Amino acid sequence: MAQKPSIPKGTRDFGQLEMARRNYIFDTIKSVFALYGFQQIETPAMENLSTLMGKYGEEGDKLLFRIQNSGEKAALAPEKGLRYDLTVPFARYVVQHREEISFPFKRFQIQPVWRADRPQKGRYREFYQCDVDVIGSNSLVGELELIQIVEEVYRRLGIRVCLHINNRKILAGIAEVIGAPDKMIDITVAIDKLDKIGVEAVNAELRERGLTEEQVKALQPILNLSGSTADKLTSLNTILASSETGLKGVKEMEKIFDMVEATGVQLNIELDLCLARGLNYYTGAIFEVKAIDAQIGSITGGGRYDNLTGIFGLPDVSGVGISFGADRIYDVLTELELFPKTLQSSTQILFATFGAKELTYALRWAKALRAEGVTVEVYPEPAKMKKQMSYADAKQIPFVAIVGGDEMAQNKVMLKNMSTGAQQLVELPELVKSVNC
Amino acid sequence: MAQKPSIPKGTRDFGQLEMARRNYIFDTIKSVFALYGFQQIETPAMENLSTLMGKYGEEGDKLLFRIQNSGEKAALAPEKGLRYDLTVPFARYVVQHREEISFPFKRFQIQPVWRADRPQKGRYREFYQCDVDVIGSNSLVGELELIQIVEEVYRRLGIRVCLHINNRKILAGIAEVIGAPDKMIDITVAIDKLDKIGVEAVNAELRERGLTEEQVKALQPILNLSGSTADKLTSLNTILASSETGLKGVKEMEKIFDMVEATGVQLNIELDLCLARGLNYYTGAIFEVKAIDAQIGSITGGGRYDNLTGIFGLPDVSGVGISFGADRIYDVLTELELFPKTLQSSTQILFATFGAKELTYALRWAKALRAEGVTVEVYPEPAKMKKQMSYADAKQIPFVAIVGGDEMAQNKVMLKNMSTGAQQLVELPELVKSVNC
């Protein structure tokens, strides 16, 4: 036999169990988004390269998958590329469709993205992103709702999490007050690594990025700020007294925490001044969510941006959004064994038969059961008992209804409970009841 | 302002209403698939070109979207292409994962495919396919279940349909008995167009394709066969008496119709000897479903294939499958106004407020309502009444809860029914009730 076919490296097939589990994650998230009035959109897999280029930095441009032109233009430079994330297509969508959209625009989007990254464990060339954003309003109610969504999604999934929150205006204020206002990005990029590489390496990187010894020193108390959230915010009001932007950031955080309290949010929320997030477009609150019981990094993240659509010519539209990392959530649920057991099989009952007449009899019963909403399979041929039972085992089907001549004569089936092995002769109404409880 | 951004020709953005409608179609189809134990899989958007090339004919090879290699191999010929349909990736999947699969393997798959076709009305370069197949069994129960699925899907969607059914073995038998056994494909391709171009043009095409005048003549009675299904099958048993394959096909059809009757299928089913379907891999029953109340061509189609996985080195695995055409079903539901009205808005109630205190009050109520499963939005800032009402109108939100000082003092909200204009002061439990009925 020929060599087995394969798929491109960094891509994956999803079998039935993986799909059932992935759908469980997406359905849970979608049901929470819906409660808040977020509605789904989809954009094409291909975007014009002019839409994508220059939006993800030099490195990002290299990682775009380019599509060869078709027909006569095949030899010319590609004009289309595959979606690299959901953020840039969303910005493009908002600008392109702005006349049809009612702002504030609450949208979510769950689609795959593609990156020509070197594949490695946990890093794929095709993976799903799951983004939720509200755009067209400065209101901090946006931040509150995203926090409430995080709380509810992880409550439903059964994952204990901690939400880390910070504010880019506070980071800008810090850069200002230590006398390095043009170095905010350098500072945030460096301190974003505090958890990973430690304070000494961060300080070294800060020096490399052009901060003076004095500036690095001035930064230390801020990196080491501790106490309750209220304490930290009070200290920051003092430290950032000379920075208008910094104070604005502190005020935003105070308002967010006030609303969190007023609405009884139970989520663990930590004001984390070391949280920076690499993306340059954030301008206000930034978030990252970590699972408490698994070591896997951030499973959800996002923030406030004031000018995402500016790159497409529509300035001054503020929005806030977060992205759920489906692959990591999948890994956490697997590690903590939190997937519902019922996802293993969707089929509740398999009919096993041993002749043409029995098969027809089973098909009639199957029809009646499906009309009651019961998920039924009929083994499609009168194969050996063992083969039919193996099929039920492999698909983890909990009940097998065996149909022989005796059963048919009594208008019954022999119902076998596959986990206990118990068998009993039942009529149709009893069968519906047995399967549903 | 800069020129509006755009998307590649032949691709589409789907806004909220379109997505809600598309999800309604897919969810309906998926719920029926589930009743029969079909389970979902997904394959990557990119396949190795070696998997795709030569599977869709010369024309198909030209229509494959090729992906430029990344890194050092960028200048070399592309090695990957975008999925062109779901059938070839499914065959590849079955061969690649055959050790993990329990046969008969009942799978469905709903994913986009890409074709570098010239875009025109109703023809896109990116579109979803929705395929359901059972592979690894010769049993005609497969055909029966697909017929039952077609019946139930269109019953749920409210579309009246007719299922046309034929059999490739009968077509082969016809080619045999008219003395042109090597011309089955030519004959089927030509008579597939009978509906579109008429009998004279079909005959002309048959002659062009090398059939003798005698053979064309011998074909006429078969094209004009009429009467009930039983009549037609009886005639065919006579006409095809000298063809073993042809008789086998007739026998298959008789068995399928027997099961259809035994299980009380109510669907309109027509044995249609002019139905051929272009694809060469079909070997048994073939299906096409047409909407009775809309002129739009086939909205579902498929058939039995005996050697789909042979191209990947795994011969003699028989399967049967159909594909639902989501775009055409969408158009039929739109034309016949069959989409449920409730898809227009997912939000049941919008809170309108006029100050910071009222906003906090509304956020508390919203939380309580969401805990009851009510979909709630809070207009995120105390904007002018008109602006907030316009937002509710645009999103077709049926209720607006207005919160002012008076309402807060009484622990109530002023509930406005947006379709009748009626307003009443209500407490929280009444609000839940009003919205839910």
Side-chain angles (χ1 to χ4, degrees):
Chain A
M1 143 142 201
Q3 208 194 334
K4 260 196 197 181
S6 64
I7 50 178
K9 63 178 179 178
T11 68
R12 290 170 288 177
D13 283 325
F14 296 117
Q16 303 114 280
L17 181 58
E18 282 160 303
M19 278 306 295
R21 290 179 165 181
R22 292 171 65 83
N23 284 338
Y24 166 71
I25 295 171
F26 290 132
D27 290 346
T28 301
I29 293 173
K30 281 156 86 166
S31 65
V32 177
F33 289 169
L35 279 181
Y36 288 79
F38 286 89
Q39 293 181 308
Q40 192 170 12
I41 68 161
E42 282 190 4
T43 61
M46 305 172 184
E47 293 275 353
N48 292 320
L49 270 181
S50 57
T51 299
L52 302 174
M53 293 285 288
K55 309 305 191 298
Y56 306 105
E58 239 175 87
E59 194 54 30
D61 282 354
K62 279 188 211 147
L63 300 182
L64 291 172
F65 275 113
R66 289 160 170 78
I67 296 165
Q68 210 175 62
N69 299 327
S70 45
E72 309 102 58
K73 292 162 100 184
L76 303 178
E79 293 168 352
K80 294 181 289 289
L82 290 179
R83 190 167 52 218
Y84 181 89
D85 73 357
L86 302 181
T87 305
V88 168
F90 173 53
R92 191 269 307 148
Y93 180 96
V94 169
V95 177
Q96 188 176 333
H97 299 279
R98 62 184 181 280
E99 274 111 24
E100 310 140 36
I101 294 172
S102 321
F103 293 98
F105 180 42
K106 301 174 93 169
R107 89 86 171 81
F108 74 89
Q109 192 168 352
I110 300 178
Q111 293 191 272
V113 301
W114 296 271
R115 297 182 184 179
D117 240 326
R118 192 175 297 277
Q120 57 183 57
K121 190 178 176 313
R123 192 201 280 164
Y124 304 100
R125 292 185 146 190
E126 172 180 67
F127 58 98
Y128 273 76
Q129 288 193 336
C130 173
D131 282 19
V132 59
D133 291 79
V134 52
I135 193 167
S137 163
N138 297 308
S139 167
L140 298 169
V141 169
E143 278 81 345
L144 173 72
E145 290 193 346
L146 295 180
I147 291 169
Q148 291 179 311
I149 285 172
V150 165
E151 176 182 34
E152 184 63 13
V153 163
Y154 289 110
R155 194 189 65 72
R156 292 188 182 193
L157 292 175
I159 301 175
R160 296 197 308 147
V161 297
C162 179
L163 182 139
H164 295 248
I165 187 168
N166 196 5
N167 193 299
R168 275 292 177 92
K169 293 191 183 76
I170 293 180
L171 293 172
I174 291 170
E176 241 179 277
V177 300
I178 69 165
D182 57 325
K183 289 275 191 277
M184 190 198 88
I185 298 299
D186 290 289
I187 296 172
T188 57
V189 168
I191 70 176
D192 198 17
K193 302 177 185 164
L194 193 68
D195 264 6
K196 280 185 203 151
I197 63 176
V199 69
E200 282 314 313
V202 166
N203 286 341
E205 182 165 339
L206 288 166
R207 283 180 210 109
E208 258 171 51
R209 288 174 177 269
L211 262 73
T212 66
E213 205 52 49
E214 205 170 58
Q215 289 166 347
V216 172
K217 205 177 151 199
L219 200 62
Q220 302 308 304
I222 292 161
L223 294 184
N224 297 322
L225 217 60
S226 65
S228 72
T229 299
D231 291 346
K232 285 183 188 169
L233 290 173
T234 306
S235 304
L236 282 171
N237 263 321
T238 312
I239 297 172
L240 301 178
S242 66
S243 162
E244 198 186 327
T245 306
L247 290 178
K248 221 182 195 175
V250 176
K251 178 66 72 190
E252 286 177 10
M253 299 312 280
E254 287 171 345
K255 278 195 186 164
I256 292 170
F257 278 101
D258 283 350
M259 284 194 291
V260 159
E261 206 181 309
T263 55
V265 170
Q266 299 295 313
L267 189 65
N268 295 303
I269 304 182
E270 192 185 316
L271 175 64
D272 178 358
L273 292 173
C274 298
L275 173 66
R277 291 187 71 75
L279 295 167
N280 292 347
Y281 51 72
Y282 292 126
T283 51
I286 46 182
F287 312 97
E288 247 175 46
V289 179
K290 289 181 181 170
I292 292 172
D293 303 310
Q295 299 292 320
I296 200 163
S298 164
I299 54 178
T300 296
R304 162 76 60 179
Y305 43 83
D306 283 339
N307 199 20
L308 195 62
T309 56
I311 43 177
F312 297 114
L314 185 68
D316 304 323
V317 181
S318 185
V320 59
I322 54 174
S323 184
F324 286 85
D327 286 311
R328 286 189 172 176
I329 294 171
Y330 188 102
D331 290 345
V332 172
L333 290 170
T334 304
E335 185 184 329
L336 303 179
E337 296 181 19
L338 291 171
F339 280 114
K341 293 284 171 291
T342 49
L343 297 177
Q344 305 272 340
S345 174
S346 61
T347 301
Q348 296 167 275
I349 182 160
L350 173 76
F351 279 84
T353 65
F354 307 99
K357 273 186 199 155
E358 288 84 350
L359 185 55
T360 303
Y361 180 88
L363 288 169
R364 285 206 195 97
W365 278 56
K367 183 191 159 85
L369 284 162
R370 290 183 189 123
E372 301 284 331
V374 180
T375 295
V376 182
E377 289 189 59
V378 177
Y379 197 86
E381 50 218 51
K384 283 192 179 145
M385 177 72 128
K386 201 182 155 198
K387 194 170 177 191
Q388 300 188 57
M389 288 296 171
S390 303
Y391 179 82
D393 272 337
K395 283 190 85 168
Q396 304 202 18
I397 300 173
F399 293 97
V400 175
I402 302 163
V403 183
D406 289 354
E407 286 84 8
M408 278 176 66
Q410 298 180 63
N411 204 22
K412 294 186 175 177
V413 298
M414 181 63 79
L415 184 66
K416 179 169 181 171
N417 181 320
M418 295 295 281
S419 57
T420 66
Q423 298 197 164
Q424 58 168 330
L425 268 176
V426 295
E427 293 182 344
L428 187 59
E430 296 169 78
L431 182 53
V432 175
K433 246 187 259 167
S434 311
V435 171
N436 279 338
C437 67
Chain B
M1 139 140 208
Q3 210 194 332
K4 260 195 195 179
S6 63
I7 50 179
K9 62 179 180 177
T11 70
R12 289 169 289 176
D13 284 325
F14 296 117
Q16 303 114 282
L17 181 58
E18 281 160 304
M19 278 305 295
R21 290 179 165 181
R22 291 171 65 84
N23 284 338
Y24 166 72
I25 295 171
F26 290 132
D27 291 346
T28 301
I29 293 173
K30 282 157 86 167
S31 66
V32 177
F33 289 169
L35 278 181
Y36 289 78
F38 286 89
Q39 292 181 307
Q40 192 170 13
I41 68 161
E42 284 190 2
T43 61
M46 303 173 185
E47 294 275 353
N48 292 320
L49 270 181
S50 57
T51 299
L52 302 175
M53 292 286 286
K55 308 306 189 298
Y56 306 106
E58 239 175 86
E59 194 54 28
D61 282 354
K62 279 188 211 148
L63 299 184
L64 291 172
F65 275 112
R66 290 158 169 81
I67 295 165
Q68 208 174 64
N69 298 327
S70 45
E72 309 102 59
K73 293 162 100 183
L76 302 178
E79 293 169 351
K80 294 182 288 290
L82 290 179
R83 191 166 53 218
Y84 181 88
D85 72 357
L86 302 180
T87 304
V88 168
F90 173 54
R92 191 267 308 149
Y93 180 98
V94 169
V95 178
Q96 188 175 334
H97 299 280
R98 63 184 179 279
E99 274 111 23
E100 311 140 35
I101 294 173
S102 321
F103 292 97
F105 180 42
K106 301 174 93 169
R107 88 86 171 79
F108 74 90
Q109 193 169 350
I110 301 177
Q111 292 191 273
V113 301
W114 296 271
R115 297 182 184 179
D117 238 326
R118 191 175 298 276
Q120 57 182 58
K121 189 176 177 314
R123 191 202 282 163
Y124 303 100
R125 292 184 146 191
E126 172 181 67
F127 58 97
Y128 273 76
Q129 288 192 336
C130 173
D131 282 19
V132 59
D133 291 80
V134 51
I135 192 166
S137 164
N138 298 308
S139 167
L140 298 170
V141 169
E143 279 79 346
L144 173 72
E145 290 193 347
L146 295 181
I147 290 169
Q148 290 178 311
I149 285 172
V150 165
E151 177 182 32
E152 185 62 13
V153 164
Y154 289 110
R155 193 190 64 73
R156 292 187 183 195
L157 293 175
I159 300 176
R160 297 196 308 149
V161 296
C162 179
L163 183 140
H164 296 247
I165 187 168
N166 196 5
N167 193 299
R168 274 293 175 95
K169 294 190 182 77
I170 293 179
L171 293 172
I174 290 170
E176 241 179 277
V177 300
I178 70 165
D182 56 326
K183 289 276 192 280
M184 192 197 87
I185 299 297
D186 289 290
I187 296 172
T188 57
V189 169
I191 71 175
D192 198 15
K193 301 176 186 164
L194 192 67
D195 264 5
K196 279 186 204 151
I197 63 176
V199 69
E200 283 313 312
V202 167
N203 286 341
E205 181 165 341
L206 288 166
R207 283 179 209 111
E208 259 170 51
R209 287 173 177 270
L211 262 73
T212 65
E213 203 54 45
E214 207 170 57
Q215 289 166 344
V216 172
K217 205 176 150 198
L219 199 61
Q220 302 309 303
I222 293 161
L223 294 185
N224 297 321
L225 218 60
S226 64
S228 71
T229 299
D231 291 345
K232 286 182 188 172
L233 289 173
T234 307
S235 304
L236 282 169
N237 264 321
T238 313
I239 297 172
L240 301 177
S242 65
S243 161
E244 199 186 325
T245 306
L247 290 178
K248 221 183 198 175
V250 176
K251 179 64 74 189
E252 286 178 9
M253 299 311 281
E254 287 170 345
K255 278 195 187 163
I256 292 170
F257 278 100
D258 282 351
M259 285 195 289
V260 159
E261 204 180 311
T263 55
V265 171
Q266 299 296 313
L267 189 66
N268 296 303
I269 304 181
E270 192 185 315
L271 174 63
D272 178 358
L273 292 173
C274 298
L275 173 66
R277 291 188 69 77
L279 295 167
N280 292 347
Y281 51 73
Y282 292 125
T283 51
I286 45 181
F287 312 96
E288 248 174 46
V289 178
K290 289 182 181 169
I292 291 172
D293 303 309
Q295 297 293 320
I296 201 164
S298 164
I299 54 179
T300 297
R304 162 76 61 180
Y305 42 84
D306 282 340
N307 199 20
L308 196 61
T309 57
I311 44 177
F312 297 114
L314 185 68
D316 303 325
V317 181
S318 185
V320 58
I322 53 173
S323 185
F324 285 85
D327 285 311
R328 286 188 173 177
I329 294 171
Y330 189 102
D331 290 344
V332 172
L333 290 171
T334 304
E335 184 184 329
L336 303 179
E337 295 181 18
L338 290 172
F339 280 113
K341 292 285 171 291
T342 49
L343 298 177
Q344 305 273 340
S345 175
S346 61
T347 302
Q348 295 166 275
I349 181 162
L350 172 76
F351 279 84
T353 65
F354 307 98
K357 274 186 197 156
E358 288 84 350
L359 184 56
T360 303
Y361 179 89
L363 288 169
R364 286 207 194 97
W365 278 57
K367 183 190 160 86
L369 284 162
R370 289 182 190 123
E372 300 284 332
V374 181
T375 295
V376 181
E377 290 189 58
V378 176
Y379 198 87
E381 50 217 49
K384 286 199 178 135
M385 176 71 129
K386 203 184 154 196
K387 196 171 176 190
Q388 301 188 56
M389 289 295 171
S390 302
Y391 179 82
D393 272 336
K395 282 190 87 169
Q396 303 202 20
I397 300 173
F399 292 98
V400 174
I402 301 163
V403 183
D406 289 354
E407 286 84 7
M408 279 175 68
Q410 297 180 64
N411 204 22
K412 296 187 175 177
V413 298
M414 180 63 78
L415 183 66
K416 180 170 181 171
N417 181 320
M418 294 296 280
S419 57
T420 66
Q423 298 198 161
Q424 56 168 332
L425 267 177
V426 295
E427 292 182 344
L428 187 58
E430 296 170 76
L431 183 53
V432 175
K433 244 188 262 169
S434 309
V435 170
N436 279 339
C437 67

